[in-house]
């Protein structure tokens, strides 16, 4: 058997941290200590130079690579690998004071003052020029260094700039997209409130004190433009590296609250997906009692990382080894949870985990942020250091998992057009009550809790090959991108099972709603026509009443809440009707047979009991086998799977609950890679404990 390789082509899983020697150049003994302690902690990768611009280019055009050379030289004498960052995230003062035009303009039109980070204009030609010059110089100097494993492109791009140049760029983007003002006016329905644009110059970014959200097409296009603009900035950063001769792969670490920009667009120029994660695993006493929780959200995002680059493991580029000072209540990670959460990322397809940060600085905004080496008396004898060491041991034991992938029969759909529109732009039923992406999370959670592997994909993306899936769960798919109806119809005809419902198929790619209620092709696919949408107060409920002998065998009644469509059947078969109100008797849950596949349409939002019953019925009817029989996993325990190229299966059992949990294995068994012990026929998982079984072949 050949040794498995990770996503960067080396052996084993990666374990590393952001390392900021640029803050310690005055204290070489500290740097000596860092290099003494890296192996002790089990750190194998350091992300360097993320905010090092001022040290690298202390004055315009004068580079000082001495300190970075020293770090590379030290690394070269070890087994460490380097992720070298392009330092564009934080501009040095000399630059922003001499060229204030590189600074960002906020929504009110005020140019920001020099300072902080992510404070530059992504359109600025001058900023791009300075970044490109430095990136190329870095590439020339270090791009072929044997220790260099990855280019870490900047840091968590986010936000937008509202300067004249960005708005001019927006107008050019619109001209390319629409060709003419007539086409733009039509797509934006601008006759509404007399918003017709008669010259391109009249188009400005939507702002609170201006156009606001009255022209939805404008808001949506501004968001799309923003993601494309950042993608272009990233591509330019990488082009400068390539111009310097380095062929080492690149990644950019996506922002943890990363739903602002479209991750599919942002990551297109990069080679490897990476995301930063700062969940507060202790923000509730026992998260299993709340509707959704940070643990499931974390898994959801991690499964989306898989969806962003199918067929490739990804990297968790940052997480804290203990607390995050910016949190409302920066709780310490309870004993065991750190190792467990590192394993969580691996379970969902990461080939490594890195921390922010190796050593806390003595000053600045993050001096109280968690670190492998914190400002406290513990040093390398601290509890946190021991926690990191325990993660090292676990990752070392999991070396055989490197490079393996997940394979799921189910995907949940999430895309940014729908997210932006429904969460932030639409005026239907009140902003903040959109249930997007909560609906996705709720449905995802059923899979997470029931050992059904599940991907998170943007189903319209060319990267998302629907033929890999048996079931696509697509709630609130309100906006249909051009070509999507054809794509999903072909997949259903070939045998795909689609679960969709309320607020789906209403609008085209410009957010023009279909006068008939739904896209005609979508209407044919779901076998329904939409007439109206009712909204309920949070304490109001209607009912799904299942028809006797329905194809899913569901009998009970279930609550229908929040948003309820009033639809007409045009081919679909009724599984359940509404029980109450003037629309009692109208279809509430239907199925439409299309070719070899089926489309289920749930016309109203439901609560957990129906989600559970419905998904279990769909899995049963359509041959989707949970890894263990339903009911095997106690609350707070999840089972995720990775598959190696040679067919070996790795089953990750993770116990996020505060109790020891017993998990019967129903005839499966394997070697627990974490302990080296055979599993027997059941597992007893300690609170915050885990087991990773290399499954025995039957
Ligand atoms: C991240 C950021 C890091 C650090 C960290 C603190 O979002 O990339 O540089 O600030 O947050 O939690």
């Amino acid at each position: 058997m050949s040794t498995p390789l990770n996503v960067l082509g080396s052996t084993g899983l990666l374990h590393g941290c952001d390392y900021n020697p640029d803050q310690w150049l005055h204290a070489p003994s500290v740097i000596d200590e860092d290099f003494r302690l890296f192996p002790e902690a089990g750190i194998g990768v350091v992300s360097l130079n993320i905010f090092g611009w001022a040290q690298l280019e202390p004055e315009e055009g004068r580079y000082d690579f001495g300190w970075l050379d020293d770090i590379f030289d030290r690394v070269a004498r070890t087994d460490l690998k380097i992720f070298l960052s392009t330092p564009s995230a934080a501009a040095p003062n000399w630059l922003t004071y001499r060229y204030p035009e590189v600074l960002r303009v906020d929504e009110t039109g005020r140019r920001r003052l020099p300072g902080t980070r992510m404070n530059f204009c992504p359109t600025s030609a001058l900023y791009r020029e300075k970044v490109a010059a430095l990136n190329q110089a870095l590439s020339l100097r270090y791009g072929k260094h044997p220790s260099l494993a990855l280019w870490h492109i900047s840091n968590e791009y986010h936000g937008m700039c509202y300067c004249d140049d960005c708005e001019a760029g927006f107008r050019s983007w619109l001209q390319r997209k629409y060709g003419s003002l007539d086409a733009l006016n039509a797509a934006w329905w601008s006759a509404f409130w007399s918003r017709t644009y008669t010259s391109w110059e009249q188009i400005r970014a939507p702002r609170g004190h201006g156009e606001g959200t009255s022209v939805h097409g404008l808001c949506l296009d501004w968001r799309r433009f923003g993601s494309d603009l950042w993608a272009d900035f990233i591509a330019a950063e990488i082009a400068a590296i390539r111009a310097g001769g380095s062929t080492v792969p690149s990644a950019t670490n996506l922002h943890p609250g990363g739903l602002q920009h479209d991750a599919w667009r942002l990551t297109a120029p990069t080679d490897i997906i990476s995301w930063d994660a700062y969940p507060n695993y202790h923000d509730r006493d026992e998260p299993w009692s709340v509707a959704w929780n940070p643990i499931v959200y974390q898994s959801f995002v991690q499964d989306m990382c898989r969806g962003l680059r199918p067929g490739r493991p990804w990297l968790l580029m940052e997480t804290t080894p203990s607390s995050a000072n910016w949190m409302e209540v920066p709780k310490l990670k309870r004993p065991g949870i750190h190792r467990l959460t590192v394993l969580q990322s691996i379970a969902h397809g990461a080939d490594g985990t890195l921390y922010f940060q190796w050593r806390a600085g003595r000053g600045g905004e993050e001096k109280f942020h968690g670190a492998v080496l914190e400002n406290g008396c513990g040093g390398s004898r601290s509890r946190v250091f021991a926690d990191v060491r325990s993660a090292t041991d676990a990752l070392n034991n999991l070396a055989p998992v490197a490079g393996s992938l997940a394979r799921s029969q189910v995907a949940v759909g999430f895309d940014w057009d729908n997210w932006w529109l429904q969460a932030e732009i639409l005026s239907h039923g009140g902003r903040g009550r959109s249930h997007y992406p909560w609906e996705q999370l709720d449905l995802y959670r059923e899979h997470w809790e029931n050992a059904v592997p599940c991907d998170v994909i943007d189903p319209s993306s060319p990267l998302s090959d629907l033929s890999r899936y048996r079931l696509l769960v697509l709630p609130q798919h309100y906006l249909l991108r051009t070509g999507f109806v054809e794509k999903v119809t072909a997949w259903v005809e070939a045998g795909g099972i689609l679960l969709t419902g309320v607020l789906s198929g209403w609008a085209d790619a410009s957010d023009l709603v279909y006068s008939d209620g739904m896209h005609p092709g979508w209407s044919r696919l779901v076998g329904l026509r939409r007439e109206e949408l009712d909204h309920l107060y949070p304490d109001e409920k209607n009912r799904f009443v299942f028809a006797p002998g329905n194809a899913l065998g569901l009998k009970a009644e279930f609550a229908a809440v929040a948003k309820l469509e009033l639809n007409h059947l045009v081919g679909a078969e009724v599984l359940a009707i509404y029980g109450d109100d003037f629309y009692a008797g109208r279809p509430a849950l239907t199925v439409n047979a299309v070719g070899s596949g089926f489309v289920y349409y749930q016309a109203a939002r439901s609560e957990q009991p129906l989600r559970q019953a419905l998904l279990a019925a769909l899995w049963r009817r359509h041959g989707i086998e949970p890894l263990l029989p339903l009911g095997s996993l106690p609350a707070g325990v999840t089972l995720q799977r990775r598959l190696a190229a040679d067919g070996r299966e790795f089953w990750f059992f993770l116990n996020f609950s505060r109790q020891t949990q017993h998990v019967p294995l129903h005839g499966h068994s394997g070697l627990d890679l974490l302990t080296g012990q055979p599993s027997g026929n059941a597992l007893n998982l300690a609170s915050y404990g885990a087991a990773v079984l290399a499954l025995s072949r039957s």
Side-chain angles (χ1 to χ4, degrees), residues 6 11-15 346 350-353 394-396 398-399 401-403 642:
N6 62 41
T11 52
L13 297 169
L14 302 157
H15 193 204
I346 306 299
D351 264 359
T353 295
L395 292 172
N396 287 344
L398 294 187
V401 170
R642 289 181 70 157

Side-chain angles (χ1 to χ4, degrees), residues 474-635:
L474 201 54
Q476 296 194 194
H477 203 65
Y478 161 89
L479 176 145
L480 301 170
R481 292 213 209 119
T482 310
F484 178 65
V485 173
E486 292 74 11
K487 176 178 179 179
V488 73
T489 303
W491 170 75
V492 173
E493 281 171 347
I497 310 299
L498 177 66
L499 171 62
T500 183
V502 57
L503 268 166
S504 295
W506 286 34
D508 70 9
S510 301
D511 187 24
L512 293 179
V513 292
Y514 292 98
S515 304
D516 241 14
M518 286 178 181
H519 180 294
W522 183 261
S523 176
R524 275 194 297 281
L525 181 66
V526 301
L528 296 166
R529 294 185 68 194
R530 181 181 66 79
E531 188 174 343
E532 291 185 89
L533 178 74
D534 195 16
H535 295 261
L536 301 187
Y537 287 103
D539 59 350
E540 277 185 304
K541 288 189 192 337
N542 201 314
R543 282 176 301 144
F544 291 88
V545 179
F546 277 85
N550 65 79
L552 292 180
L554 292 175
K555 292 200 178 69
E557 295 183 359
F558 297 91
V561 297
K563 292 185 167 66
L564 300 87
E565 279 180 356
L566 277 54
N567 295 331
H568 298 271
L569 297 171
V570 285
E573 178 192 322
V574 172
L575 297 169
I577 54 172
Y578 290 125
D580 301 311
D581 217 329
F582 70 93
Y583 42 90
R586 299 279 288 267
L589 183 70
T590 51
V591 59
N592 197 31
V594 179
S596 312
F598 293 93
V599 179
Y600 294 86
Y601 197 95
Q602 187 184 308
R605 182 163 158 80
S606 60
E607 293 181 333
Q608 198 270 342
L610 179 57
R611 285 194 290 273
Q612 184 182 36
L614 176 59
L615 284 167
L618 294 183
W619 299 332
R620 197 168 47 240
R621 186 178 186 205
H622 298 294
I624 294 160
E625 287 269 335
L627 299 177
L628 290 176
L630 293 182
S632 304
L633 295 182

Side-chain angles (χ1 to χ4, degrees), residues 417-491:
D417 283 348
N418 273 299
W419 155 251
W420 292 326
L421 267 173
Q422 293 180 60
E424 296 180 12
I425 302 173
L426 271 179
S427 49
H428 200 301
R431 295 183 188 105
R433 291 214 299 128
S434 81
H435 303 119
Y436 197 107
W438 314 125
E439 189 71 22
Q440 275 77 2
L441 283 162
D442 286 342
L443 288 157
Y444 172 84
R445 180 175 175 162
E446 292 302 320
H447 296 82
W448 192 93
E449 290 185 334
N450 286 296
V452 179
C454 181
D455 287 352
V456 179
I457 63 168
D458 171 352
S460 308
S461 161
L463 288 178
S464 301
D465 172 6
L466 299 183
S467 71
R468 295 157 51 107
Y469 303 106
R470 178 93 178 110
L471 171 64
L472 174 61
V473 179
L474 201 54
Q476 296 194 194
H477 203 65
Y478 161 89
L479 176 145
L480 301 170
R481 292 213 209 119
T482 310
F484 178 65
V485 173
E486 292 74 11
K487 176 178 179 179
V488 73
T489 303
W491 170 75

